[in-house]
Amino acid sequence: GAVVSQHPSWVICKSGTSVKIECRSLDFQATTMFWYRQFPKQSLMLMATSNEGSKATYEQGVEKDKFLINHASLTLSTLTVTSAHPEDSSFYICSARANTDTQYFGPGTRLTVL
Amino acid sequence: GESVGLHLPTLSVQEGDNSIINCAYSNSASDYFIWYKQESGKGPQFIIDIRSNMDKRQGQRVTVLLNKTVKHLSLQIAATQPGDSAVYFCAEVQNRDDKIIFGKGTRLHILP
């Protein structure tokens, strides 16, 4: 089946720094990628949808200037958490969709901001 | 706004018994529904999906039932095994190329 990877799998950073998370589709081209955030014992909340070569569409309440998304190629999307603070600590999950309708999820990235 | 929710946050089942996880949804415009399994520290894993024009679909050891009249979705797992321990999410999609909206999740705990 289709594989989506994320890097890093976990990251610890200091408050005020920026962190970049990568999402890659390994064996297919993803026209659309999605970014989710999951707090402990909660569900996945969609943050934004990105289409290759165009600007991301953010969900209501998600700050686009804080969570920068780049989808420069059909196999890579990046999420940059700028000026991270402890409340940004969460599990970030991406998913990727090819021309078919199936979304494939990545393994997630655990972000801890000190 | 409309959302997908679950009746029980935690379900404990004896190993070997069948598990039934329930989900209520409110968006009658949703085109299809998906069940995901999420193990601790991992991304969600697709289990089974069902279109809104169906009322039942079976997979390997799993069955999804859809009752559009009462807007209810359930996941049945036959002969529950220790490896089934996880959080299960129902999710809805308004149309197949749209975003996935996740429900709250139910933790399935397997008793020895």
PDB file of all heavy atoms in Angstrom, chain B residues 4 9 84 99:
ATOM      1  N   VAL B   4     -19.107  14.785  14.395  1.00  0.00           N
ATOM      2  CA  VAL B   4     -19.245  13.348  14.569  1.00  0.00           C
ATOM      3  C   VAL B   4     -18.876  13.023  15.999  1.00  0.00           C
ATOM      4  O   VAL B   4     -17.856  13.467  16.492  1.00  0.00           O
ATOM      5  CB  VAL B   4     -18.336  12.592  13.593  1.00  0.00           C
ATOM      6  CG1 VAL B   4     -18.460  11.108  13.810  1.00  0.00           C
ATOM      7  CG2 VAL B   4     -18.683  12.972  12.160  1.00  0.00           C
ATOM      8  N   PRO B   9     -16.525   6.608  25.675  1.00  0.00           N
ATOM      9  CA  PRO B   9     -15.107   6.924  25.558  1.00  0.00           C
ATOM     10  C   PRO B   9     -14.194   5.718  25.747  1.00  0.00           C
ATOM     11  O   PRO B   9     -13.131   5.663  25.213  1.00  0.00           O
ATOM     12  CB  PRO B   9     -14.890   7.951  26.656  1.00  0.00           C
ATOM     13  CG  PRO B   9     -15.962   7.680  27.660  1.00  0.00           C
ATOM     14  CD  PRO B   9     -17.138   7.189  26.876  1.00  0.00           C
ATOM     15  N   ASP B  84      -5.993  -5.721  19.090  1.00  0.00           N
ATOM     16  CA  ASP B  84      -7.053  -4.779  18.744  1.00  0.00           C
ATOM     17  C   ASP B  84      -7.100  -3.607  19.719  1.00  0.00           C
ATOM     18  O   ASP B  84      -7.848  -2.646  19.482  1.00  0.00           O
ATOM     19  CB  ASP B  84      -8.420  -5.484  18.736  1.00  0.00           C
ATOM     20  CG  ASP B  84      -8.522  -6.534  17.641  1.00  0.00           C
ATOM     21  OD1 ASP B  84      -7.898  -6.350  16.576  1.00  0.00           O
ATOM     22  OD2 ASP B  84      -9.219  -7.553  17.857  1.00  0.00           O
ATOM     23  N   LYS B  99     -12.292  16.922   2.790  1.00  0.00           N
ATOM     24  CA  LYS B  99     -11.527  16.669   4.003  1.00  0.00           C
ATOM     25  C   LYS B  99     -12.257  15.686   4.908  1.00  0.00           C
ATOM     26  O   LYS B  99     -13.475  15.554   4.870  1.00  0.00           O
ATOM     27  CB  LYS B  99     -11.293  17.983   4.742  1.00  0.00           C
ATOM     28  CG  LYS B  99     -12.559  18.772   5.021  1.00  0.00           C
ATOM     29  CD  LYS B  99     -12.253  20.169   5.490  1.00  0.00           C
ATOM     30  CE  LYS B  99     -13.513  20.969   5.708  1.00  0.00           C
ATOM     31  NZ  LYS B  99     -13.244  22.375   6.055  1.00  0.00           N
TER      32      LYS B  99
END
